[in-house]
């Protein structure tokens, strides 16, 4: 028993990712983010909810170290200072697989780039694929898979380095609703099993309420945080959560916050 | 009874497909044979002398009779073509990789490649023949025409690697070298193979054109030289025989690279994917 596990309030409330006063202006002059303050706490499932162009993807990319903040500071807590960036897994809106490589080789990529041989990575690859239910598709090529399966491979790849932070940029936006619900449940199960922190960008109110422990609602022009909603419903959640009054209430609340954040000409 | 009705569509499906495939092969072959037979008939019926238009049968006979000479020339032409193509592949790919390293390098050197490409090779050949040994000049000409499609296609392919994948490589701290080997080169492969198919045909054309430009000055004995030589001697059947061999060589080069392309891409690339109707 460590002190931290006995008194979770102090030690665990140290944010794993912290954006303070962050601004991002693109080279074409567009102000994507302005004065953004955002802390991500260990173990939480944080959703960034907002209309298109509110900078939620930009904020996520800054957390991943892809691109630099024009103003302010992005800090990422590292448990092991020697571990460079390996602590982060990133899932894009598209599956972003290498079409010339098999499913197993795609999952191998993050390890390969760290110099791990295929033989040594084999067990990790198999574990990652088993986690997303694709153990029997290791030798398939991406084009042989459905959209949902490709996304699972993408998630397996992000999990291959056993990251403590998983950043996801609208990963299920392009999928049909049945697949999306299934993957929502799978992701919640994975998160519970692996205990990682998830930051999840979405423009779906329902998805954000179903998945998150906390929702950050953002507004556009310039991108900023307008409100934060704590989703207090207990984990693990299942399909029945969608039928509870609390779920409907939270959806209304998030929806109202989102509409309050939207300018008349904004799009979801 | 019901079983037999169920069976009918199942058996007619594949057999209809086989018939279609058979027709796809037989039809062009039949038309080709018909055309050759027509040619033969026209020559015989009109009693056209062979020094004006030889009959296909006579071209075939010449091909057999002159085979040692013509085959030797074919080998010379093919040797030039593949040497030039090899040099174009090495040069084109290396230069494309260099271009991919920096926008400034590309901006600075790409115009040279374009100038070399747009200047007709027939116009450059006489100059090259003054500066270089005839054999080398022919090789350089063939290289110059094959080089550009390989360079520009490979450069395009290297630049077209998925941006999200590039972000992912950055995220995992991949070096430029690893990014090149694991991401940009595989992404460029289909483009490169497209360039290779064009370059292969052009290398043959370049080799022929340059040898014709060299004329009798070239002690070379490629197929183009045989055509000129036969022309001087009014040996029209042999001209046709040499022309036939050039066509066959071109077709074989095309088939070779199409097969190579299929071999390397059929597992993953959309171009090699069969579409269901």
């Amino acid at each position: 028993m460590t002190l931290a596990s006995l008194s979770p309030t102090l030690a665990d409330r140290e944010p794993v990712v912290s954006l303070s006063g962050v601004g991002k202006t693109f080279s074409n002059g567009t102000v994507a983010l302005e004065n953004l303050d955002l802390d991500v706490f260990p173990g939480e499932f944080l959703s960034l909810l907002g209309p298109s162009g509110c900078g939620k993807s930009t904020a996520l990319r800054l957390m991943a170290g892809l691109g630099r903040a024009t103003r302010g500071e992005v800090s990422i807590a590292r448990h092991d200072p020697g571990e460079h960036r390996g602590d982060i897994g990133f899932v894009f809106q598209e599956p972003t697989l290498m079409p010339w490589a098999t499913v197993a080789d795609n999952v191998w990529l993050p390890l390969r780039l760290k110099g791990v041989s295929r033989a040594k990575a084999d067990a990790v690859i198999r574990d990652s694929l088993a986690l997303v239910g694709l153990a029997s598709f290791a030798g398939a090529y991406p084009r042989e898979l459905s959209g949902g399966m490709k996304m699972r491979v993408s998630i397996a790849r992000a999990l291959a380095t056993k990251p403590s932070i998983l950043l996801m940029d609208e990963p299920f936006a392009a999928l049909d609703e049945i697949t999306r619900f299934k993957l929502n449940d799978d992701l919640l199960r994975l998160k519970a099993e692996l205990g990682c922190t998830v930051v999840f960008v979405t423009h779906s109110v329902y998805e954000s309420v179903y998945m998150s422990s906390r929702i950050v609602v953002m507004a556009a022009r310039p991108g900023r945080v307008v409100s934060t909603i704590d989703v207090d419903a207990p984990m693990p959640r299942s399909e029945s959560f969608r039928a509870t009054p609390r779920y409907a209430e939270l959806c209304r609340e998030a929806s109202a916050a989102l509409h309050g954040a939207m300018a008349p000409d904004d799009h979801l | 009874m019901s079983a037999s009705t169920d069976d009918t569509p199942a058996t007619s499906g594949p057999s209809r497909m086989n018939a279609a495939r058979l027709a796809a092969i037989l039809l062009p072959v039949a038309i080709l044979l018909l055309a050759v037979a027509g040619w033969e008939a026209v020559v015989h019926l009109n009693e056209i002398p062979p020094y004006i238009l030889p009959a296909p049968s006579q071209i075939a006979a010449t091909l057999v009779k002159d085979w040692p000479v013509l085959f030797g020339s074919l080998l010379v032409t093919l040797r030039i073509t593949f040497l030039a193509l090899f040099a174009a592949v090495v040069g084109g790919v290396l230069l494309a990789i260099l271009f991919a390293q920096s926008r400034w390098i590309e901006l600075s050197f790409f115009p040279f490649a374009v100038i070399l490409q747009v200047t007709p090779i027939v116009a450059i050949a006489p100059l090259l023949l003054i500066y270089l040994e005839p054999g080398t000049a022919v090789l350089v000409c063939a290289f110059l025409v094959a080089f550009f499609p390989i360079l520009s296609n490979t450069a395009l392919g290297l630049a077209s690697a998925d941006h999200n994948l590039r972000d992912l490589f950055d995220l995992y701290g991949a070096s430029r070298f690893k990014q090149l080997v694991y991401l940009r080169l595989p992404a460029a492969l289909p483009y490169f193979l497209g360039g290779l198919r064009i370059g292969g045909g052009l290398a043959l054309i370049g080799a022929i054109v340059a040898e014709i430009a060299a004329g009798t000055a070239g002690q070379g004995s490629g197929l183009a030289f045989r055509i000129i030589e036969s022309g001087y001697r009014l040996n029209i059947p042999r001209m046709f025989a040499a022309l036939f061999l050039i066509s066959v060589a071109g077709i074989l080069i095309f088939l070779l690279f199409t097969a190579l392309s299929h071999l390397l891409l059929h597992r993953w690339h959309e171009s090699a994917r069969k579409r269901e109707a």
Side-chain angles (χ1 to χ4, degrees), chain A:
Chain A
M1 278 288 154
T2 62
L3 192 65
S5 66
L6 284 172
S7 57
T9 37
L10 267 178
D12 282 0
R13 292 312 277 181
E14 200 66 24
V16 282
V17 181
S18 175
L19 308 182
S20 56
V22 165
K24 173 78 182 175
T25 308
F26 289 126
S27 53
N28 63 8
T30 309
V31 180
L33 293 172
E34 191 60 73
N35 212 10
L36 179 77
D37 291 311
L38 184 63
D39 286 336
V40 182
F41 296 103
E44 76 173 335
F45 194 119
L46 177 72
S47 282
L48 301 182
L49 176 68
S52 296
C54 73
K56 49 195 194 301
S57 293
T58 308
L60 199 73
R61 289 174 59 87
L62 290 179
M63 289 181 200
L66 296 168
R68 283 228 171 103
T70 319
R71 295 167 295 280
E73 207 175 314
V74 180
S75 60
I76 298 163
R78 302 214 181 282
H79 305 292
D80 178 3
E83 192 92 325
H84 178 67
R85 286 177 166 185
D87 226 18
I88 290 178
F90 201 101
V91 179
F92 297 89
Q93 182 171 351
E94 295 88 31
T96 315
L97 302 175
M98 301 180 292
W100 54 83
T102 61
V103 163
D105 285 343
N106 266 290
V107 176
W108 176 33
L109 179 72
L111 300 166
R112 186 183 204 186
L113 293 175
K114 288 181 191 303
V116 182
S117 73
R118 181 71 162 75
K120 274 199 179 139
D122 201 53
V124 180
I125 295 169
R126 251 182 297 146
D127 286 352
S128 298
L129 284 174
L131 276 175
V132 298
L134 285 179
S136 55
F137 287 89
Y141 281 81
R143 73 159 207 224
E144 295 160 0
L145 307 179
S146 69
M149 287 159 92
K150 282 183 205 163
M151 196 39 92
R152 285 168 195 272
V153 177
S154 192
I155 293 170
R157 178 180 61 192
L159 296 177
T161 54
K162 305 205 176 358
S164 64
I165 309 167
L166 189 56
L167 305 176
M168 309 182 87
D169 188 2
E170 300 192 40
F172 310 141
L175 302 176
D176 62 273
E177 201 171 61
I178 299 169
T179 311
R180 189 174 186 161
F181 281 7
K182 176 86 178 68
L183 282 174
N184 282 347
D185 286 332
D186 286 349
L187 182 58
L188 285 180
R189 175 180 56 80
L190 281 174
K191 189 200 168 305
E193 274 176 39
L194 304 172
C196 54
T197 309
V198 181
V199 183
F200 189 90
V201 167
T202 181
H203 55 229
S204 162
V205 167
Y206 308 105
E207 191 172 56
S208 66
V209 172
Y210 186 68
M211 308 284 284
S212 320
S213 52
R214 193 159 64 103
I215 302 169
V216 166
V217 182
M218 294 178 70
R221 271 169 295 258
R224 63 200 187 277
V225 174
V226 287
S227 67
T228 301
I229 300 167
D230 282 308
V231 183
D232 43 16
M235 299 274 184
R237 293 168 191 163
S238 64
E239 209 53 40
S240 58
F241 174 52
R242 292 187 203 273
T244 59
R246 184 68 187 133
Y247 175 77
E249 194 182 320
L250 284 163
C251 284
R252 263 198 306 279
E253 194 183 328
S255 198
L258 184 59
H259 281 285
M262 280 171 71
D265 56 343
D266 268 353
H267 302 284
L268 265 180

Side-chain angles (χ1 to χ4, degrees), chain B:
Chain B
M1 191 58 200
S2 69
S4 71
T5 45
D6 278 347
D7 268 344
T8 325
T11 47
S12 79
S15 72
R16 203 184 306 153
M17 208 171 70
N18 280 341
R21 199 181 292 170
L22 207 63
I25 298 167
L26 286 184
L27 211 60
V29 169
I31 298 290
L32 193 69
L33 286 178
L34 217 63
V36 171
W39 176 357
E40 185 84 35
V42 166
V43 169
H44 282 292
L45 290 176
N46 296 311
E47 292 175 344
I48 300 174
Y51 55 83
I52 292 180
L53 181 67
S57 58
Q58 199 185 356
I59 296 169
T62 310
L63 200 58
V64 174
K65 182 166 61 76
D66 294 349
W67 183 251
V69 178
L70 289 174
F71 184 67
S73 297
L74 176 67
L75 288 185
V76 169
T77 300
L78 286 179
R79 193 176 150 273
I80 294 169
T81 303
F82 279 100
L83 268 179
L85 190 60
F86 176 74
V89 166
V90 172
V93 170
L94 285 181
L95 205 58
I97 289 173
L98 188 69
F99 283 2
Q101 301 312 306
S102 143
R103 178 113 191 91
W104 294 111
I105 297 177
E106 184 177 356
L107 275 175
S108 313
F109 290 97
F110 204 68
F112 288 96
V114 175
I115 291 168
L116 280 178
Q117 165 67 12
V118 297
T119 312
I121 201 69
V122 201
I124 310 176
L127 200 61
L128 286 174
L129 283 161
I130 293 174
Y131 291 140
L132 302 168
E133 294 281 310
T136 319
V138 172
L139 192 62
V140 170
C141 280
F143 162 77
L144 284 179
V145 285
F147 170 72
F148 188 78
I150 293 172
L151 166 69
S152 63
N153 272 32
T154 310
L156 179 67
L158 288 171
S160 69
D162 184 11
H163 280 239
N164 281 341
L165 272 172
R166 281 160 76 168
D167 281 345
L168 198 73
F169 274 68
D170 283 345
L171 186 76
Y172 291 118
S175 63
R176 285 175 79 91
F177 180 73
K178 280 186 174 172
Q179 197 164 129
L180 177 71
V181 174
Y182 296 146
L183 176 61
R184 303 184 81 164
L185 285 179
L189 187 63
Y191 295 82
F192 163 74
L193 289 168
L196 187 63
R197 247 191 294 183
I198 303 169
L202 285 180
L204 179 65
I205 293 173
I208 299 287
V209 166
E211 212 183 14
I212 285 182
T216 43
Q219 325 92 318
S221 45
L223 283 172
F225 177 76
R226 291 293 163 221
I227 288 179
I228 297 174
E229 182 194 53
S230 312
Y232 288 142
R233 295 176 187 174
L234 279 181
N235 189 347
I236 311 298
R238 194 195 260 194
M239 280 179 99
F240 270 96
L243 205 54
F244 173 76
L245 282 182
I246 292 173
S247 291
V248 170
I251 292 168
L252 287 181
I253 288 171
F254 178 80
L255 289 179
L256 174 71
F257 290 126
T258 305
L260 180 72
S261 186
H262 182 78
L263 192 74
L264 291 175
L265 300 182
H266 76 284
R267 290 301 304 268
W268 64 275
H269 198 252
E270 295 295 327
S271 67
R273 190 173 179 176
K274 277 202 190 74
R275 279 168 65 86
E276 292 296 327

